[in-house]
Amino acid sequence: MTTLALPASRFTDLLAAEWIKLRSLRSTYWAFGCGALAVVGFNANAARADYVNYPHYGGPIRDDFVYWALRDAFTDGSAMILVLVCASIGAITIVGEYATGLVRTTFTAVPDRRALMAAKVVVLTAVMTLFGALVAAASYASSQAILDGRGLGVPISHPGAWRVVVASALLAPVCALVGMGLGAVIRHSATTMVLTTFVLLLLPSFVTDRYRWTASVRHTFPFNAWTRIVDVGYGQSHMLVPKYPATVAGGWVVFAVWAVVAAVVAVVVVDRRDV
């Protein structure tokens, strides 16, 4: 009796399988839905607050209100929510399979772990980029529509507006890939989320920017890079410019490096470690 070898899985098949896994999880829909509502609602509330308080603002703020309007489009608080939501989803894509034991079945069906993890990375990046784009666009549109009640809304064609939207959208896939990378290393959901929160949100606050080398380290964190990119009023009169400032170009590089390194770590760790 001759045993026929199973044909190798095509990469498109792996992409389809990973897409099915991601969309079949009920928790994914809850995370996307609640996360989007929280982010858009947080930004809309910030815009509403400025709409209500604008008559009481002094001259300096009124003269430079474009800066504040663009800050309302995507606030620091909403960015923190987005970071946590996206990192959680990224971690679940790999930790969930290890926790349930499904990963053994997956590796039996697809022995090529590198191809499998590459498919996970591609699907996660595509889905989270789309999610980030929708949330960033909805936040921008809703916040500026509220401010338009006083004629204060900033059109998307305004210099720096697209930068705010694009950077906020790309923050989602970057943090999701970081969550996946840490999840591949740790393989425990609670520990992964604690460490991810520490690395992405807490650790940067412990690094001072008073010295050149510490400032350089501080600038290499994704959240700090996002803050610099979206700060269209950087260096203006109402801002205190740091002694060792970051650059917009450097912020984009930080985004790219974190995403690539996290993806490589996820692929390599899963390929080399036992189940």
Side-chain angles (χ1 to χ4, degrees):
M1 182 176 179
T2 303
T3 302
L4 298 178
L6 294 176
S9 299
R10 295 176 300 178
F11 192 69
T12 52
D13 296 331
L14 298 180
L15 292 175
E18 292 305 322
W19 166 239
I20 292 173
K21 289 180 187 178
L22 184 61
R23 66 182 176 85
S24 63
L25 292 174
R26 184 178 301 176
S27 59
T28 301
Y29 294 95
W30 280 103
F32 280 136
C34 294
L37 288 175
V39 171
V40 175
F42 200 102
N43 293 325
N45 184 62
R48 184 200 63 81
D50 276 336
Y51 173 88
V52 172
N53 296 323
Y54 184 78
H56 308 291
Y57 288 156
I61 294 181
R62 290 194 177 201
D63 294 341
D64 223 8
F65 194 77
V66 168
Y67 166 80
W68 300 103
L70 291 177
R71 291 292 289 174
D72 288 342
F74 222 94
T75 61
D76 288 352
S78 67
M80 291 181 183
I81 296 173
L82 185 68
V83 167
L84 292 176
V85 170
C86 296
S88 300
I89 295 173
I92 285 297
T93 58
I94 182 66
V95 174
E97 289 198 57
Y98 278 101
T100 60
L102 178 63
V103 69
R104 293 183 176 85
T105 303
T106 300
F107 290 158
T108 300
V110 185
D112 189 349
R113 297 187 182 186
R114 285 177 293 181
L116 174 67
M117 288 304 300
K120 282 184 179 291
V121 168
V122 171
V123 170
L124 182 67
T125 302
V127 171
M128 299 312 297
T129 300
L130 177 60
F131 173 70
L134 292 175
V135 170
S139 292
Y140 192 91
S142 59
S143 62
Q144 302 313 303
I146 293 171
L147 294 174
D148 268 338
R150 293 192 185 277
L152 302 172
V154 179
I156 193 64
S157 58
H158 189 278
W162 269 110
R163 202 171 79 200
V164 173
V165 175
V166 173
S168 301
L170 292 181
L171 185 63
V174 171
C175 293
L177 289 172
V178 172
M180 173 184 276
L182 290 175
V185 173
I186 300 171
R187 301 184 181 183
H188 186 276
S189 56
T191 307
T192 298
M193 285 315 307
V194 170
L195 185 58
T196 301
T197 302
F198 177 75
V199 171
L200 292 177
L201 295 180
L202 298 181
L203 185 58
S205 65
F206 296 145
V207 183
T208 180
D209 58 0
R210 295 174 58 186
Y211 309 101
R212 182 181 297 277
W213 75 271
T214 56
S216 299
V217 172
R218 184 181 175 89
H219 297 331
T220 61
F221 290 99
F223 191 83
N224 296 71
W226 170 84
T227 301
R228 175 62 187 94
I229 295 171
V230 302
D231 190 356
V232 297
Y234 192 81
Q236 296 183 6
S237 59
H238 66 277
M239 295 289 294
L240 178 62
V241 181
K243 186 176 180 180
Y244 304 106
T247 64
V248 172
W252 293 121
V253 171
V254 169
F255 268 23
V257 170
W258 274 81
V260 171
V261 170
V264 171
V265 167
V267 173
V268 172
V269 168
V270 171
D271 182 50
R272 294 191 177 184
R273 288 174 61 180
D274 294 332
V275 177

